[in-house]
Amino acid sequence: MDIILFFSRQILSIITVEKENFTTKKILSFLLLTLSEFILISCSPQDNLDDNYYWINTENGLRNELSFSIKDTEGTIDKEEYDKFTINSKNNTFELSGEEVSAKEVTYKHSDGVITVDISGTEHDYYLKGTDAYEEALKKYNELQN
């Protein structure tokens, strides 16, 4: 009987140690996974705004026109008194400039291919061509035009 009791205790202690090792492995795996997620998020590229943006207006007269283009941290504006701008992505601002006007800083918002900014005296949404938001605005524009 003592022998059976001895072996039972040994088996229970082995099972307990294996459970503790398994729990420790789970905790370490979870911590490593969390750490790798933080690293990936912090190293991921920031919003890339490069491309052409269109003003599609369906409320105050129908408009669908190229408004500005962005390459790196520089932008060019079509058909406004300001003809270029510099982007400060940390502050979410455009520094507007032009030959016959003084520089002006405006704040922009960027979400899902839409930049909302005031480059003409009134805040508008400007759509990145090819995005879902652009396609939706273009669909509405085409429905109203017909």
Side-chain angles (χ1 to χ4, degrees):
M1 189 65 135
D2 288 335
I3 293 176
I4 293 175
L5 191 57
F6 174 76
F7 282 119
S8 296
R9 286 182 184 158
Q10 292 298 324
I11 291 172
L12 283 175
S13 68
I14 290 171
I15 291 171
T16 304
V17 169
E18 286 182 13
K19 281 185 179 180
E20 288 175 3
N21 285 340
F22 182 71
T23 304
T24 304
K25 287 180 182 178
K26 276 181 149 178
I27 291 170
L28 285 175
S29 296
F30 176 74
L31 289 174
L32 285 173
L33 178 66
T34 304
L35 178 64
S36 64
E37 288 176 0
F38 281 120
I39 291 171
L40 286 173
I41 290 170
S42 66
C43 293
S44 65
Q46 301 301 314
D47 287 336
N48 181 354
L49 302 177
D50 290 5
D51 216 330
N52 297 324
Y53 288 83
Y54 292 81
W55 178 30
I56 301 175
N57 186 359
T58 57
E59 295 175 14
N60 300 322
L62 295 175
R63 289 181 186 233
N64 177 8
E65 58 189 41
L66 175 64
S67 292
F68 56 87
S69 301
I70 298 175
K71 176 86 170 116
D72 298 323
T73 59
E74 302 293 320
T76 56
I77 302 172
D78 293 350
K79 302 179 185 173
E80 297 296 335
E81 61 184 333
Y82 296 102
D83 56 5
K84 58 185 174 179
F85 58 91
T86 303
I87 302 169
N88 181 334
S89 58
K90 289 183 181 179
N91 296 333
N92 284 2
T93 58
F94 289 173
E95 179 73 33
L96 303 172
S97 59
E99 288 185 26
E100 298 179 20
V101 292
S102 58
K104 174 182 172 184
E105 186 175 272
V106 294
T107 302
Y108 72 88
K109 293 176 253 164
H110 178 250
S111 178
D112 299 325
V114 179
I115 293 178
T116 304
V117 66
D118 174 4
I119 59 171
S120 63
T122 305
E123 186 174 84
H124 295 291
D125 291 335
Y126 299 93
Y127 299 92
L128 175 62
K129 190 172 187 173
T131 62
D132 290 341
Y134 173 85
E135 296 300 330
E136 186 65 32
L138 189 60
K139 180 181 174 185
K140 187 175 179 182
Y141 169 83
N142 288 333
E143 287 172 358
L144 292 172
Q145 193 175 27
N146 294 330

